[in-house]
C-alpha cells in the first residue's frame, strides 16, 4: 500500500461569520449586544460615530458583523430602541475609486435597492421641489442604474446633469447633494418612526493615507445628517498615522492624527485582549487542528499573541513546515519539537534569542543555546541566579529578561537532540536509515565503544542500536540520539549523557551510577532494575518511564519540582527516605500505573 504524502491543513483569512463570532467564546456576543443597544437607544444623541479599535486580525470585522446582525433583528423592548437600516462599506475594496465619497454613496444606494426602497425613491423623484441642479434627471438615472445593478458605478455621471456645480470640486455641490440625500435618507429609514441609518466602515486601516482621509472627510460631510450613525472599524494608531502622513505630505500644516480622530469619533471601543483560555478553547474546537497540535495549545497560546489571525497564520506555518519533513520524520514527537522551535522562532516571542540560535556556528552550538536557556527558565531562586552569574553564561542574561520567552520555555519540554535541531531549524529530515549503517553481519553484534563515540562525534543518530552490555563508562555521549536503543545491562557509570535522547530505550539492569543526565530525555525508557545512584537528574524528562526496582539513592534532583505524574513503578524504586516522603506527599500513595513493557 502506497503512503500518500502529508497534505497540510490550512486556514483562510476570512472573518468569522456572525454565528462563529458569537460562539467563539471571546465575549464578542456581549460586546455586540451593548454596542447595538448604544447605537439604537432612543436616548442616544445622533449623529454619532463609534470607533471599534484593535490591531489587524483582532476580530474587529467579526464584532461589527455581530452588531449589524443585532440591529437588523431589532432590540427589545421595541419602544426604547429605534429601528435601524444598515449599510456595510469596505473602504479597502473601493480604494481604487477616485473619490471614496462617491463609493460610499453608491453603497448606501445599493442598500436602499436591496431593501425594496425603489418605489419610495420614485415617489421622492416626483417631488417638484428641486434646486438649480437637475435632481430629477440625476436621481432618475441613479434609479435606472439601480434596477439593473451593473458592474460599474450605481451612481450616474453627475456632470451630464450639472448646471452650475462641479460634483468633485465645488463644495456647494456637496451641500446641495447632502440636502437632497438627507431627504432620500429620511424616507429610507422612516424618520417619522424614529428610524436610524447605521453605516459600518471596515478596513479603513488598509487604505493608503490619502484614501483613509477621503473616507474620514466623507464621514464629516454626513455628520450633520440627523439620525445617522457611523461604526468605524480600524487600528487606531494606523489611521492616526495615516492622517498625519497625508497632511504632512500635502504640506497643509502639522496635524495631530489622534486629535483629528477625536473630532470624528465620539465613542471609542478598544477591543479587550482575548484571554488565553478562551483562545485555547476556540482553536481546540477548529476542525483543521489535529490532536498532536491540540496537545501543544498551551505552548502556542503562551508564545503567540492571542490574535485570531496571528494564531491561524502560525498554525498554517506549522502545517507547511511539517509537510516538508513529516514523511521522513517517522516519529510523532518530532512535530512537538517542530512546534516548540517555531514558537521560539516567532518574531513576537524572542527575536534576539532566535537570531543568536540561527547565527550559531554549528547545530551542536544551537542545541547548547536552547538547552541552557531551558535550564535557566526551569531553575528558581539561587540556582537560577548562579546560572546567570556564571561568566560563561553572560549572553543569557539579556535573554532571561524576556518574560514571554521564559514562560514559553517553562510550558513545554524542549527535549531537543542534534537531529531535532537539523529537522526544525534547517528543515533537514532524518536519513532513511539510522546511522551508522551497519552491514547485516555487524547489525547482529553490539556496537563497540569506539563506534559509538565516533557516531556521536559525527552527529549521527544511534536509534535502535544494539548496545546490550556495552562498556560505555565515562563515555562522552552528550546530545546523543539513543532513542529505542538496546542498552540492557550496559555500563554507563559516570557517562556524560547531558541532553541525550534516550526515549523508549531499554535500560533494564543498566548501570548509570554517577552519570550526568541533566536535560536528558528518558521518556518511555525501561529502567527496571537500573542503577541511577548518584546520577544527576536535574531537568531530566521521566514521563512514561518505568522505574520499578531501580536504585535512585543519592540521585541529584529537586523532589519538589520533578514530574513523576506519568512515571511508572517509581514507588517500588529505591529512594533516599526523606526524598520518598516528599514524592509520596506530592503524588500520593495510590496504585501504580501498570507497565506494558515486556
Amino acid at each position: 500500500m502506497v503512503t500518500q504524502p502529508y497534505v497540510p491543513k490550512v486556514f483562510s483569512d476570512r472573518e468569522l461569520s456572525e454565528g462563529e463570532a458569537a460562539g467563539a467564546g471571546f465575549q464578542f456576543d456581549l460586546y455586540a449586544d451593548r454596542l447595538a443597544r448604544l447605537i439604537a437607544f432612543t436616548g442616544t444623541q445622533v449623529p454619532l460615530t463609534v470607533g471599534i479599535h484593535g490591531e489587524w486580525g483582532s476580530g474587529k470585522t467579526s464584532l461589527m458583523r455581530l452588531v449589524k446582525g443585532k440591529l437588523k433583528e431589532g432590540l427589545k423592548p421595541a419602544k426604547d430602541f429605534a429601528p435601524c437600516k444598515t449599510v456595510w462599506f469596505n473602504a479597502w475594496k473601493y480604494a481604487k475609486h477616485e473619490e471614496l465619497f462617491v463609493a460610499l454613496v453608491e453603497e448606501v444606494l445599493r442598500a436602499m435597492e436591496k431593501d425594496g426602497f425603489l418605489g419610495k425613491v420614485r415617489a421622492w423623484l416626483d417631488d417638484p421641489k428641486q434646486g438649480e441642479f437637475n435632481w430629477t434627471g440625476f436621481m432618475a438615472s441613479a434609479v435606472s442604474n439601480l434596477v439593473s445593478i451593473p458592474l460599474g458605478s450605481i451612481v450616474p455621471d453627475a456632470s451630464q446633469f450639472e448646471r452650475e456645480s462641479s460634483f468633485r470640486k465645488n463644495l456647494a455641490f456637496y451641500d446641495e447633494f447632502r440636502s437632497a440625500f438627507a431627504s432620500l435618507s429620511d424616507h429610507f429609514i422612516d424618520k417619522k418612526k424614529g428610524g436610524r441609518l447605521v453605516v459600518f466602515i471596515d478596513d479603513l486601516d488598509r487604505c493608503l493615507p490619502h484614501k483613509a482621509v477621503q473616507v474620514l472627510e466623507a464621514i464629516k460631510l454626513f455628520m450633520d445628517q440627523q439620525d445617522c450613525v457611523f461604526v468605524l472599524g480600524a487600528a487606531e494608531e494606523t489611521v492616526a498615522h495615516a492622517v498625519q502622513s497625508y497632511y504632512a505630505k500635502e504640506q497643509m500644516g502639522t496635524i495631530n492624527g489622534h486629535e483629528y480622530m477625536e473630532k470624528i469619533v465620539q465613542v471609542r471601543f478598544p477591543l479587550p485582549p482575548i484571554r488565553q483560555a478562551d483562545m485555547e478553547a476556540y482553536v481546540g474546537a477548529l476542525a483543521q487542528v489535529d490532536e498532536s497540535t491540540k496537545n501543544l495549545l498551551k505552548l502556542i497560546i503562551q508564545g503567540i499573541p492571542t490574535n485570531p489571525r496571528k494564531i491561524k497564520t502560525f498554525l498554517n506555518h506549522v502545517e507547511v513546515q511539517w509537510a516538508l519533513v513529516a514523511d521522513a520524520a517517522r516519529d510523532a514527537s518530532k512535530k512537538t519539537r517542530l512546534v516548540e522551535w517555531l514558537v521560539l522562532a516567532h518574531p513576537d516571542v524572542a527575536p534576539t534569542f532566535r537570531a543568536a540560535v540561527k547565527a550559531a556556528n554549528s547545530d551542536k552550538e544551537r542545541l547548547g543555546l536552547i538547552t541552557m536557556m531551558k535550564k535557566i527558565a526551569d531553575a528558581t531562586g539561587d540556582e537560577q541566579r548562579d546560572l546567570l552569574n556564571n561568566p560563561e553564561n553572560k549572553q543569557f542574561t539579556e535573554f532571561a529578561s524576556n518574560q514571554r520567552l521564559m514562560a514559553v520555555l517553562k510550558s513545554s519540554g524542549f527535549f531537543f537532540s542534534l537531529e531535532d535541531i537539523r529537522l526544525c531549524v534547517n528543515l533537514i529530515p532524518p536519513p532513511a536509515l539510522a546511522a551508522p549503517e551497519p552491514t547485516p553481519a555487524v547489525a547482529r553484534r553490539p556496537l563497540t565503544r569506539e563506534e559509538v563515540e565516533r557516531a556521536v562525534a559525527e552527529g549521527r543518530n544511534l536509534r535502535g542500536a544494539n548496545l546490550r552490555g556495552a562498556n560505555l563508562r565515562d563515555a562522552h555521549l552528550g546530545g546523543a540520539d539513543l532513542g529505542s536503543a538496546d542498552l540492557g545491562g550496559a555500563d554507563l557509570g559516570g557517562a556524560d549523557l547531558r541532553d541525550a535522547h534516550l526515549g523508549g530505550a531499554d535500560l533494564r539492569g543498566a548501570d548509570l551510577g554517577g552519570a550526568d543526565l541533566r536535560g536528558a530525555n528518558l521518556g518511555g525508557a525501561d529502567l527496571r532494575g537500573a542503577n541511577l545512584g548518584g546520577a544527576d537528574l536535574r531537568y531530566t524528562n521521566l514521563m512514561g518511564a518505568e522505574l520499578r526496582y531501580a536504585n535512585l539513592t543519592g540521585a541529584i534532583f529537586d523532589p519538589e519540582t520533578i514530574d513523576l505524574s506519568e512515571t511508572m513503578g517509581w514507588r517500588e524504586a529505591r529512594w533516599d527516605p526523606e526524598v520518598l516522603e516528599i514524592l509520596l506527599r506530592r503524588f500520593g500513595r495510590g496504585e501504580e500505573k501498570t507497565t506494558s513493557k515486556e
Side-chain angles (χ1 to χ4, degrees), residues 46 55 85 212 224 229 271 315 320 377 380 394 534 545:
V46 287
E55 63 177 358
K85 300 289 188 181
D224 63 350
V229 178
L271 267 173
L315 293 174
V320 172
T380 57
K394 185 177 180 180

Side-chain angles (χ1 to χ4, degrees), residues 240-259:
H241 179 71
V243 169
Q244 211 155 305
S245 299
Y246 171 76
Y247 282 103
K249 182 179 179 181
E250 297 297 320
Q251 298 181 344
M252 299 173 67
T254 302
I255 299 291
N256 184 299
H258 290 285
E259 291 179 358

Side-chain angles (χ1 to χ4, degrees), residues 474-524:
D474 299 321
H476 297 286
L477 303 174
D481 188 348
L482 291 156
S484 301
D486 184 353
L487 286 155
D491 184 356
L492 289 156
D496 179 1
L497 287 160
R498 286 175 294 174
D499 308 312
H501 175 55
L502 290 153
D506 184 352
L507 287 156
R508 287 176 292 179
D511 183 3
L512 290 150
D516 189 346
L517 286 156
R518 285 176 292 172
N521 176 20
L522 286 164

Side-chain angles (χ1 to χ4, degrees), residues 152-173:
S153 172
I154 283 184
V155 175
D157 180 8
S159 62
Q160 61 183 299
F161 306 104
E162 184 180 336
R163 291 176 181 166
E164 295 181 354
S165 301
S166 168
F167 184 75
R168 302 188 186 281
K169 297 179 180 178
N170 194 330
L171 186 60
F173 171 81

Side-chain angles (χ1 to χ4, degrees), residues 162-223:
E162 184 180 336
R163 291 176 181 166
E164 295 181 354
S165 301
S166 168
F167 184 75
R168 302 188 186 281
K169 297 179 180 178
N170 194 330
L171 186 60
F173 171 81
Y174 285 110
D175 291 337
E176 223 175 320
F177 181 87
R178 203 164 37 180
S179 175
F181 188 83
S183 298
L184 185 64
S185 176
D186 288 348
H187 284 286
F188 176 49
I189 65 175
D190 202 347
K191 187 173 182 179
K192 293 179 180 179
K193 293 184 179 180
R196 290 179 182 172
L197 176 65
V198 184
V199 182
F200 293 85
I201 298 181
D202 192 23
D203 280 345
L204 183 61
D205 45 12
R206 290 191 179 190
C207 294
L208 293 173
H210 69 287
K211 292 298 182 182
V213 171
Q214 278 188 19
V215 175
L216 295 173
E217 292 295 333
I219 293 175
K220 287 168 66 177
L221 286 170
F222 278 100
M223 283 311 292

Side-chain angles (χ1 to χ4, degrees), residues 106 109-110 141-143 145-146 149-150 152-156:
E106 288 179 7
L109 291 174
R110 277 195 183 92
S141 181
V143 171
N145 283 343
L146 279 170
I149 309 294
S153 172
I154 283 184
V155 175

